[in-house]
Amino acid sequence: MRRILFLVVLLFASSLSAKPLDYYFNNDIQFDPNVPTPQSVLGYEVGEWHVRHDQLVYYMRALADASERVNIETIGYTHEQRPLLMLTFAAPQRLADIEQVRAQHLARLEGEPSTNDDPAVVYMGYSVHGNESSGSNAALLVAYYLAAAQDQRVEKLLNDTVVLLDPSLNPDGLARFANWANSNRAMTPSADPHTREHDENWPSSRTNHYWFDLNRDWLLLQHPESRARIAQFHKWQPNVLTDFHEMGPNSTYFFQPGIPSRKNPLTPNGNVDLTKAIAKHHARILDSEERLYFTEEAFDDFYVGKGSTYPDVNGSIGILFEQASSRGHVQDTVNGQMDFAFTIKNQLLTSFSTFDAVLENRQQLLDYQQDFYQQVGKLADKDKLKGYVVSAPKDATRLDYFLELLAQHQIKAYALEEQTTVDKHTFAAANSYFVPLAQRQYRLIKSIFSEQQSFNDNTFYDVSAWTLAHAFNLEFAPLSSTWGLELAQQPWQQDAQPSAQELTRHYAFAFEWFDYDAPKLLSHLLREGVNARVALAPLSAKSGNATKEFAAGSIVIPAGIQQHEHWLDILNEAQQRFAIPIVALDSGLTSTGVDLGSRQLAPVHLPKVLLVGGKQTSQYEVGELWYYLDRHVGITPSIIELDNLSGVNLDNYTHIVLANGRYSAMSKAQKVALQKWVKRGGVIWGQKGGAKFLVDQQLLKASYVSRKDMAAVFATEGLKYGDQDMLAGKQRIAGAIFNTEVDLTHPLSYSLTRKQLPVFKNSTFLLEQSSAPFVNVAKYTEKPLLAGFTHDNNVTQIANAGAIVAHSYGQGTVVAMTDNPVFRGFWYGTSRIFSNALFFGKHIHARGE
């Protein structure tokens, strides 16, 4: 009896927050009874619990099995091997011939005439941020409606459009958040904003497996979720793409257009007109439900790497939605108590209004997209520039990463057949490519090579610059004429990896440090037990009938110090795997430079890295460092939260890495232990807030300019209350690219081929140059701004300031950088500074005072 009573109470408590289907759908909509409802498959009503990703997948596959209106495919897998789904909805007769429909849609963009029967293509994307889960939960209902509804709207929709539905743009984050929200849910959910259910642990589920914001990765394509999504985007070229998000609980609902002055200048005005036309449908449906909303006073459409902006420079209409979040199941807000079902219904309503808008504006959308691409040739003809030539001397891998990224965005690049000179700079044919503007991705090419520094509106929601050539530290130049330019007939494509000649026993072996994958090759060899040395000075040595030159930073593997029985087999396998030439050396006596037994051939060891995390640190920067180490260096760091650091024996680690964060909570005993660890030979790296901590603890013998000091140079006399946002926009650096000058003789600069190194800066923290000799690794140049907006007052302060400082501390080394060298995973240029600190930091010998 007691058990029965408990079950009754449990069912009653659960039903308090449950909303049946008629809460979400009008009663006059009939549904095919042969198509399963979400509740019949999941066991609960939508909104009663947060749907797990595995449940979402299970339900979508059940729909596909039951309905002839839907195809389902797995388009990729996340880092955690969760499937990425794409559902295609259309009338059954169209769905049966969907490939021909797609081909005809793409043919229109190349100038083929359109007909009145051409369908518009709508890409519905939900919850790119995992803890903004009302979108993915609404996707359950959208999919059910498309698969089972039997009303006039859905019939017209399926006949006049193709609907692509991605129910979860971030499965790993969604799975983490569902687990958090559900595991902290009470039988009667708590509405207290401070309860554990509404206050996630670090790191939040907004991000993917590596704690990246996937809504900043549409252009950068560092992750499998993004690569699969962009492949589908270009496979279909949708007319409209939706991007469903959440914002703070005390807000209402936002849909685009955003702030009019903050659109990307490459976005045509026709896009704005259509966005406004679509917005009327969102307003109408939300008005009918008496829901609060706003437009045009928040969010921008500038950075093309976001989900609502990338479509805009690719012929589509991107639409951002932001719903006030319940975060858990119910929460008290300034607008009253808001439950999860309410947030889901708002996302469902604007999904419906998107469908209505596409149906009403179908022909205008098709015409706009066709005209968008037909205008490309005219724009390219009028442009004073013809394209860009790019080069990466001595580093084919880094250049290939860049070209592969372009190819994923349907941008073609052609190898130079002969060297060319631009403004007295010679681009060698062996490692240079030309990216012409006269191709269908004209606008996107202009965007990724842009170095614009002045804008109509200088306030940015996200970054103001993303020049990919700077991020990859490529030598590049615009061309105003292609006269005499000899190019390959076919665009770049990934070549098959050539087979390397088998290595046989020699006195020693060596490989250069220039290739981007060299750190990963070295870590692999060290892990497998191969002993290696780094050349701290250049040398040239005999290799067969030739003399081979090796720059400082090259790795030498002497046969006489090897302990592993099969070390030569390991070397051969690694050469094939990493496609980096390993050269056999005949003698320890070199032709020039240091000999192979010199003390300038210093031992290198596999780093054991402690990466400090926790709520006081930036989960993005910690994740980016983890990702770089894991993907590009082959090292798995130990990520230890700051609160747990006191229980850790620091002597188990060779390196400690401090990302941006606040480390003031570290106890005095921890600070003392850290100082002693460095003195005994540890290498510590600090960036931004981590660098500030090193200065504050006198581990780094340098001074800094604080954010407060930077802001103080801005005059405030006479400003009015309404000028606050304007002043804040001037004072901050939202994200711009600056030039630094690097000491190419320093071990941290090994692999760099020129003294200019672009860095990404999104804070006003600055190091001052040290007065001590040999410790200033990099400084900002006299005129440092390369791209993006930064107020002149800030540019003046940044000029000639310190960017990277490194010196000895006892037997150890301290390295500090004012910026993030691995920002969003795509700063391939500065990331080598970080890996150099890992492998060569112990060989930095310079006093800080």
Side-chain angles (χ1 to χ4, degrees):
M1 181 67 182
R2 189 174 298 174
R3 176 176 174 80
I4 294 173
L5 180 61
F6 172 79
L7 289 174
V8 170
V9 171
L10 178 62
L11 290 171
F12 176 73
S14 296
S15 70
L16 292 177
S17 61
K19 298 290 195 301
L21 278 179
D22 58 12
Y23 170 78
Y24 297 105
F25 297 110
N26 293 334
N27 290 329
D28 58 349
I29 299 178
Q30 299 297 311
F31 290 92
D32 183 348
N34 295 313
V35 177
T37 65
Q39 191 277 336
S40 69
V41 173
L42 303 178
Y44 58 86
E45 299 287 0
V46 173
E48 185 178 353
W49 297 90
H50 282 253
V51 70
R52 301 193 314 265
H53 184 261
D54 61 298
Q55 295 173 314
L56 188 68
V57 171
Y58 186 67
Y59 178 68
M60 294 302 175
R61 288 177 174 162
L63 273 187
D65 287 341
S67 173
E68 59 180 357
R69 299 174 177 178
V70 56
N71 284 343
I72 190 170
E73 59 180 317
T74 300
I75 60 173
Y77 291 88
T78 69
H79 288 294
E80 296 177 16
Q81 296 306 298
R82 290 187 173 88
L84 297 160
L85 298 185
M86 177 62 68
L87 286 81
T88 304
F89 292 90
Q93 65 273 18
R94 175 167 282 150
L95 199 60
D97 201 16
I98 197 66
E99 276 305 301
Q100 184 177 347
V101 172
R102 185 180 70 84
Q104 290 173 343
H105 177 71
L106 297 182
R108 290 180 57 262
L109 307 186
E110 304 302 326
E112 291 293 324
S114 59
T115 71
N116 292 332
D117 295 330
D118 290 338
V121 179
V122 191
Y123 189 128
M124 306 294 288
Y126 296 90
S127 298
V128 72
H129 295 142
N131 61 5
E132 299 177 5
S133 57
S134 59
S136 286
N137 283 267
L140 292 165
L141 298 167
V142 175
Y144 174 62
Y145 173 79
L146 294 172
Q150 297 175 322
D151 64 348
Q152 289 184 347
R153 176 170 59 182
V154 79
E155 287 184 13
K156 184 171 178 56
L157 183 67
L158 296 172
N159 283 318
D160 290 356
T161 72
V162 173
V163 178
L164 309 173
L165 190 145
D166 186 333
S168 173
L169 297 167
N170 179 6
D172 293 347
L174 182 74
R176 289 207 310 276
F177 186 66
N179 182 65
W180 178 269
N182 291 337
S183 63
N184 288 291
R185 179 192 188 278
M187 288 173 60
T188 302
S190 171
D192 183 355
H194 302 291
T195 192
R196 177 177 167 85
E197 181 184 354
H198 302 136
D199 185 19
E200 269 189 279
N201 237 333
W202 184 96
S204 78
S205 305
R206 173 185 177 88
T207 53
N208 77 335
H209 173 81
Y210 283 103
W211 310 337
F212 274 63
D213 183 341
L214 290 179
N215 196 41
R216 304 299 187 270
D217 196 46
W218 287 69
L219 176 66
L220 313 177
L221 303 186
Q222 292 299 300
H223 299 280
E225 300 93 331
S226 306
R227 292 191 286 271
R229 184 190 327 128
I230 291 302
Q232 290 298 307
F233 179 92
H234 288 292
K235 178 180 176 181
W236 271 101
Q237 291 291 151
N239 298 97
V240 173
L241 182 145
T242 62
D243 188 21
F244 288 87
H245 289 254
E246 292 180 0
M247 52 186 168
N250 291 317
S251 192
T252 58
Y253 197 90
F254 169 85
F255 54 84
Q256 285 180 313
I259 298 175
S261 60
R262 298 180 191 171
K263 83 170 182 70
N264 191 289
L266 292 166
T267 300
N269 290 330
N271 179 289
V272 178
D273 295 338
L274 282 166
T275 300
K276 289 181 177 179
I278 293 171
K280 293 178 181 178
H281 290 265
H282 305 321
R284 188 179 302 131
I285 200 167
L286 293 174
D287 285 345
S288 70
E289 297 279 339
E290 300 180 342
R291 304 295 170 99
L292 297 176
Y293 59 86
F294 65 98
T295 68
E296 295 191 309
E297 61 182 80
F299 304 103
D300 66 30
D301 242 347
F302 185 75
Y303 170 48
V304 301
K306 293 190 301 184
S308 61
T309 313
Y310 182 85
D312 294 344
V313 292
N314 283 277
S316 301
I317 311 296
I319 305 292
L320 169 69
F321 299 101
E322 294 273 355
Q323 163 64 45
S325 178
S326 66
R327 277 298 182 261
H329 293 84
V330 62
Q331 187 166 169
D332 289 329
T333 77
V334 297
N335 296 312
Q337 196 170 90
M338 177 174 58
D339 64 18
F340 189 36
F342 176 89
T343 71
I344 294 170
K345 184 168 183 179
N346 278 354
Q347 306 285 37
L348 178 65
L349 290 172
T350 51
S351 295
F352 286 159
S353 58
T354 298
F355 296 149
D356 292 340
V358 171
L359 288 174
E360 182 172 300
N361 296 278
R362 180 179 64 88
Q363 196 58 52
Q364 295 95 311
L365 289 164
L366 292 170
D367 291 344
Y368 167 80
Q369 187 180 50
Q370 189 175 47
D371 183 65
F372 181 96
Y373 284 107
Q374 294 307 303
Q375 290 293 323
V376 164
K378 297 176 183 178
L379 292 171
D381 287 342
K382 291 180 181 179
D383 203 305
K384 295 179 180 179
L385 300 180
K386 299 304 176 186
Y388 300 86
V389 61
V390 299
S391 180
K394 300 184 178 182
D395 190 352
T397 297
R398 179 161 45 95
L399 184 58
D400 276 354
Y401 278 134
F402 175 76
L403 296 170
E404 181 187 20
L405 181 57
L406 296 189
Q408 289 178 83
H409 292 295
Q410 311 300 301
I411 296 172
K412 297 176 182 178
Y414 298 85
L416 268 59
E417 296 276 294
E418 295 181 2
Q419 74 176 32
T420 189
T421 301
V422 184
D423 294 333
K424 299 182 180 180
H425 183 86
T426 299
F427 290 88
N431 49 43
S432 301
Y433 283 79
F434 178 64
V435 182
L437 282 174
Q439 52 180 307
R440 72 192 307 269
Q441 291 295 70
Y442 167 86
R443 287 183 176 87
L444 188 57
I445 296 168
K446 292 288 288 186
S447 174
I448 65 177
F449 280 98
S450 173
E451 295 180 283
Q452 185 175 352
Q453 298 179 14
S454 179
F455 308 86
N456 293 331
D457 187 334
N458 289 319
T459 303
F460 297 92
Y461 178 70
D462 199 67
V463 300
S464 64
W466 51 88
T467 317
L468 293 184
H470 284 320
F472 281 76
N473 192 25
L474 301 178
E475 298 176 11
F476 78 104
L479 293 186
S480 57
S481 173
T482 57
W483 186 86
L485 196 65
E486 297 292 334
L487 301 175
Q489 293 295 314
Q490 298 299 319
W492 175 91
Q493 58 183 1
Q494 188 73 59
D495 293 331
Q497 185 172 309
S499 297
Q501 186 175 356
E502 184 177 0
L503 302 172
T504 58
R505 186 82 180 219
H506 277 72
Y507 180 86
F509 298 88
F511 61 90
E512 295 182 302
W513 194 243
F514 295 111
D515 193 278
Y516 193 78
D517 280 350
K520 197 169 187 178
L521 168 58
L522 177 59
S523 68
H524 172 78
L525 294 176
L526 295 174
R527 187 180 302 103
E528 293 297 316
V530 174
N531 291 319
R533 300 284 186 266
V534 57
L536 300 176
L539 60 92
S540 59
K542 291 279 289 182
S543 178
N545 296 324
T547 298
K548 178 70 175 174
E549 295 184 356
F550 293 93
S554 296
I555 303 300
V556 178
I557 302 161
I561 64 170
Q562 302 307 317
Q563 304 296 316
H564 196 292
E565 181 181 0
H566 300 292
W567 68 273
L568 192 55
D569 294 333
I570 295 170
L571 220 56
N572 270 300
E573 182 272 332
Q575 181 179 229
Q576 296 286 353
R577 176 177 171 183
F578 293 95
I580 295 176
I582 298 177
V583 179
L585 305 180
D586 299 331
S587 172
L589 184 65
T590 62
S591 304
T592 60
V594 297
D595 294 323
L596 300 192
S598 167
R599 282 176 288 185
Q600 291 288 82
L601 271 292
V604 285
H605 302 286
L606 187 68
K608 185 69 182 297
V609 179
L610 190 164
L611 176 55
V612 179
K615 277 201 170 182
Q616 300 89 339
T617 66
S618 165
Q619 74 177 68
Y620 300 118
E621 291 198 13
V622 174
E624 288 156 5
L625 289 162
W626 173 27
Y627 173 76
Y628 173 72
L629 288 170
D630 199 9
R631 179 186 178 191
H632 291 298
V633 189
I635 289 175
T636 304
S638 296
I639 304 173
I640 299 175
E641 296 192 26
L642 189 57
D643 291 343
N644 299 326
L645 207 56
S646 59
V648 174
N649 182 359
L650 299 183
D651 289 334
N652 291 332
Y653 306 94
T654 61
H655 294 70
I656 293 176
V657 177
L658 305 177
N660 190 34
R662 296 186 299 273
Y663 296 90
S664 55
M666 193 179 292
S667 69
K668 184 176 181 180
Q670 288 174 314
K671 294 172 183 176
V672 170
L674 197 62
Q675 291 173 333
K676 289 181 178 179
W677 173 84
V678 179
K679 278 186 177 180
R680 291 195 298 269
V683 177
I684 191 165
W685 167 284
Q687 62 194 50
K688 298 167 68 175
K692 178 181 181 296
F693 171 79
L694 296 179
V695 176
D696 290 341
Q697 300 308 310
Q698 299 184 342
L699 278 163
L700 184 73
K701 306 301 181 182
S703 300
Y704 60 78
V705 180
S706 70
R707 295 183 181 91
K708 185 177 180 180
D709 295 332
M710 291 282 285
V713 303
F714 289 84
T716 57
E717 296 85 359
L719 293 183
K720 299 177 180 178
Y721 183 83
D723 295 329
Q724 292 182 74
D725 288 344
M726 175 272 296
L727 178 62
K730 290 180 178 180
Q731 290 175 331
R732 71 191 291 251
I733 300 175
I737 301 171
F738 291 82
N739 202 12
T740 66
E741 182 178 313
V742 181
D743 176 2
L744 290 179
T745 70
H746 199 282
L748 291 183
S749 71
Y750 291 163
S751 84
L752 301 183
T753 58
R754 56 178 185 155
K755 63 181 181 180
Q756 290 80 28
L757 178 65
V759 301
F760 185 85
K761 190 168 192 64
N762 61 355
S763 80
T764 54
F765 173 77
L766 277 180
L767 287 169
E768 294 181 347
Q769 282 198 65
S770 174
S771 59
F774 320 126
V775 304
N776 294 304
V777 182
K779 68 180 184 69
Y780 297 99
T781 59
E782 181 71 29
K783 296 180 178 179
L785 185 61
L786 290 174
F789 171 74
T790 299
H791 193 276
D792 289 344
N793 289 354
N794 283 333
V795 174
T796 299
Q797 295 185 87
I798 292 169
N800 296 310
I804 305 171
V805 177
H807 60 69
S808 306
Y809 188 92
Q811 297 178 34
T813 306
V814 182
V815 184
M817 186 171 179
T818 57
D819 306 304
N820 177 6
V822 293
F823 178 71
R824 292 185 179 167
F826 80 114
W827 274 83
Y828 286 70
T830 48
S831 60
R832 290 302 299 273
I833 299 288
F834 179 56
S835 54
N836 287 349
L838 297 179
F839 290 108
F840 312 139
K842 287 183 176 293
H843 304 305
I844 296 172
H845 303 293
R847 295 177 59 85
E849 54 187 4

